[in-house]
Structure formats: C-alpha cells, structure tokens
C-alpha cells in the first residue's frame, strides 16, 4: 500500500460541498483517482492513490453550504496529512479515530 493511498467518504452537504473537500485534498495528494459523483447521493466517495506531493500547497478549497462528515481511511501518514489539510481548509471538529495494524480511519465534521 502506498503511503498516500486514501479513501474519503463524505456525507451531508451537497455535490458542491463534496467537490470543495476533494479540491482541498488535491492540494496535498494530487488529482483524485475517483471523484464524488451523484448530485442526489447521500454518501459520496473519493480515492487518492497517486504519489502525492511532498509539501502541501495553500489550502484554498472554498466554503461549505452545510456541515459535511468526512471519513478518511488509509495509511497513518495519509490520514494524518488529510486531517491536517482539512483542518487548515475548513472549520473541522475531530469526531474520533480507529487504528488497525497498517491502516487508520479518522472522522471529521467540517462546518461552514
């Protein structure tokens, strides 16, 4: 597993909110391999499996129209980088984490 492999699950908000979150993560991880789809979906998923960037650029993702719950899952390094990026880009509240042998999961609530 690459140290930048990351799965992002988003719920709440609308498709534009999901795109804003993905844009923020693309500043750190490069282009998403899978982008959130479905204008009327209640849960959206994005994946990042590229090499990522050594240093994150400025986080300029935009604003959210409603609270969005984001779950990031991947290697500990990727989850930490994603959490840091989202906390710089949005008002974020840590909702908890779970760790496995080689993978970690963290849930954040992003607020407008």
């Amino acid at each position: 597993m690459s140290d930048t492999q990351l799965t992002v699950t988003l719920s709440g908000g609308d498709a534009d909110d999901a795109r804003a979150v993905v844009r923020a993560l693309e500043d750190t991880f490069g282009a998403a391999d899978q982008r959130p789809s479905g204008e009327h979906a209640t849960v959206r998923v994005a994946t990042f499996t590229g090499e990522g960037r050594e240093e994150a650029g400025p986080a300029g993702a935009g604003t959210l129209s409603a609270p969005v719950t984001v779950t990031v899952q991947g290697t500990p390094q990727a989850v930490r980088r994603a959490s840091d990026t989202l906390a710089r880009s949005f008002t974020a509240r840590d909702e908890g984490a779970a760790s496995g042998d080689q993978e970690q999961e963290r849930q954040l609530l992003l607020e407008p």
Side-chain angles (χ1 to χ4, degrees):
M1 179 184 296
S2 161
D3 69 345
T4 59
Q5 186 168 3
L6 186 73
T7 301
V8 181
T9 307
L10 306 109
S11 60
D14 59 20
D16 288 336
D17 293 326
R19 286 189 280 270
V21 172
V22 170
R23 275 194 305 275
L25 292 171
E26 286 177 334
D27 285 343
T28 299
F29 293 100
D33 297 316
Q34 176 185 344
R35 294 176 175 272
S37 61
E39 289 295 318
H40 302 291
T42 56
V43 176
R44 295 173 174 89
V45 176
T47 59
F48 297 86
T49 57
E51 291 302 312
R53 298 180 180 157
E54 286 298 315
E55 292 185 29
T63 59
L64 301 175
S65 66
V68 176
T69 300
V70 178
T71 303
V72 291
Q73 180 181 8
T75 64
Q77 180 183 9
V79 169
R80 184 177 53 254
R81 289 175 66 201
S83 298
D84 291 347
T85 297
L86 293 173
R88 282 193 319 271
S89 301
F90 304 100
T91 301
R93 186 172 68 210
D94 189 344
E95 296 283 296
S99 295
D101 187 31
Q102 297 179 17
E103 227 176 46
Q104 191 174 62
E105 180 177 295
R106 179 167 304 280
Q107 187 169 348
L108 301 166
L109 177 64
L110 307 181
E111 299 177 311

